[in-house]
Amino acid sequence: MIIDTHVHYWQKSTPDRPHAPDGIIWGDELLAEDLFAEASAAGVDKIVQVTASLMGYDNRYSIEAARKYPDKVVGVFARFDPLAPDVAGRLKELMAQDRMMGIRLTLHQPPYDRWFRDEMVHDFLRAAQDQRVPVEIFAPFQTEEIRKVATAYPGIQFLIDHMTIRIMKEYPDRFFKWPEVLRLGELPNIWMKVSYFPEAAVGKETYPFVNSQQRFKELYEHIGASKMVWGSNFPPVKRACSYKQSVDFIKDECNFLTPAEKTAIFGANFLNYVKVATGAEWR
């Protein structure tokens, strides 16, 4: 079974559910049903919904579709305002909702990219640690900031989205902090979401992304396969390759992985991550 742990579905903007003005736009809408069809055609069995930044902190559609299609959606990683009052109470209320798996911090642009440096989210991190909430982090190139946070909160299991990589004009070499990424992966409470190798190659190489394969192998040799979690990052991955190619990159091209390791990276590791983070099997 292949579980895609990083996809986004969303609705059109409406007065009741407006899009966030600073959200990343990948189209007017991508309904859950349309995403399921794309996933099935790519050979993916189930998905994990990561609420798109376009939806702001509104996770309603994420949760509604997950409840409606439990055979398709393993669960939801929600967006959450870590600076608003009553962090612990709001976090507990959100995580009590059916199909909620964890929280994603999206720190990819101002002013959010300063939250770790300025130590603005410690109330949230303390609450997440106390409540054993899995936390995904998208903080491009903030390797040292992530290291400090992970060291300060050893009770949180962190899943690092896209290995901290992002396509940015300021950083034409998307692997320029790769040695730091490898060292970050050594921490016991850090798991790596290997969800950006195709996109890291945009403008430099095309499928099968030979250079990205080598980087993947370096990460594999440094931290082992058991802490790697695959996600396609669909639909943004389409700027690099097709959905199916994002699957085939690991299934067919990364031949340094054993069949058992590929099975683990394609889903079993993610379920183990949730188990280690929460202390319970995912329901």
Side-chain angles (χ1 to χ4, degrees), residues 159-226:
L159 183 55
I160 308 304
D161 285 352
H162 313 329
M163 303 97 64
T164 78
I165 295 174
R166 188 186 184 207
I167 295 175
M168 300 174 69
K169 288 186 288 187
E170 304 95 303
Y171 305 116
D173 177 8
R174 285 117 201 186
F175 292 106
F176 81 102
K177 282 197 172 185
W178 196 239
E180 295 177 25
V181 174
L182 298 180
R183 290 193 294 271
L184 185 62
E186 296 170 356
L187 295 179
N189 59 331
I190 290 287
W191 302 62
M192 284 289 175
K193 190 182 287 181
V194 289
S195 51
Y196 214 78
F197 284 112
E199 285 168 89
V202 167
K204 297 179 179 295
E205 59 178 345
T206 57
Y207 188 87
F209 311 116
V210 174
N211 183 62
S212 286
Q213 288 180 42
Q214 180 58 36
R215 298 298 190 180
F216 196 137
K217 187 177 181 181
E218 291 168 2
L219 182 62
Y220 162 74
E221 291 175 342
H222 200 81
I223 70 172
S226 64

Side-chain angles (χ1 to χ4, degrees), residues 61-125:
Y61 182 55
S62 292
I63 296 170
E64 289 163 3
R67 290 173 176 170
K68 185 176 181 179
Y69 302 105
D71 59 326
K72 297 290 186 182
V73 185
V74 178
V76 173
F77 268 76
R79 299 192 75 241
F80 179 83
D81 186 348
L83 303 186
D86 189 23
V87 170
R90 289 186 297 108
L91 182 62
K92 185 175 182 179
E93 181 179 7
L94 178 61
M95 293 304 301
Q97 297 192 54
D98 186 35
R99 313 312 298 167
M100 279 300 311
M101 299 190 85
I103 299 298
R104 186 196 195 203
L105 292 181
T106 308
L107 313 178
H108 64 289
Q109 62 186 8
Y112 319 109
D113 57 356
R114 298 181 57 215
W115 283 1
F116 277 176
R117 295 188 192 99
D118 293 347
E119 301 185 351
M120 299 174 67
V121 295
H122 286 290
D123 287 347
F124 163 75
L125 292 169

Side-chain angles (χ1 to χ4, degrees), residues 14-35:
T14 65
D16 180 52
R17 300 183 180 188
H19 287 174
D22 60 354
I24 299 176
I25 299 172
W26 293 103
D28 195 33
E29 71 174 359
L30 178 61
L31 297 178
E33 293 83 356
D34 297 324
L35 175 59

Side-chain angles (χ1 to χ4, degrees), residues 2 9 28 41-42 45 48 61 85 91 108 130 206 226 238-239 277 279 283:
I2 295 179
Y9 54 73
D28 195 33
D45 300 293
V48 176
Y61 182 55
L91 182 62
H108 64 289
D130 291 344
T206 57
S226 64
K238 291 193 293 183
R239 61 187 163 180
R283 57 194 184 278

Side-chain angles (χ1 to χ4, degrees), residues 3-8 47-53 57 59 62 74-82 91 94-95 99-108 112 115-116 121 124-125 128-129 132-140 142 146 149-150 153 155-164 184 189-195 227-234 267 269-271 273-274 277-278 282:
I3 300 174
D4 189 343
T5 68
H6 198 102
V7 297
H8 310 287
I47 63 100
V48 176
Q49 162 69 349
V50 178
T51 297
S53 63
Y57 296 119
N59 299 286
S62 292
V74 178
V76 173
F77 268 76
R79 299 192 75 241
F80 179 83
D81 186 348
L91 182 62
L94 178 61
M95 293 304 301
R99 313 312 298 167
M100 279 300 311
M101 299 190 85
I103 299 298
R104 186 196 195 203
L105 292 181
T106 308
L107 313 178
H108 64 289
Y112 319 109
W115 283 1
F116 277 176
V121 295
F124 163 75
L125 292 169
Q129 182 164 261
R132 298 196 68 169
V133 175
V135 177
E136 289 186 359
I137 297 174
F138 182 42
Q142 296 183 43
I146 294 171
V149 165
Y153 296 92
I156 300 176
Q157 296 296 313
F158 293 98
L159 183 55
I160 308 304
D161 285 352
H162 313 329
M163 303 97 64
T164 78
L184 185 62
N189 59 331
I190 290 287
W191 302 62
M192 284 289 175
K193 190 182 287 181
V194 289
S195 51
K227 293 182 72 179
M228 291 179 168
V229 173
W230 175 76
S232 70
N233 195 33
F234 187 84
N269 286 348
F270 174 74
L271 296 178
Y273 160 74
V274 175
T278 63
W282 178 247

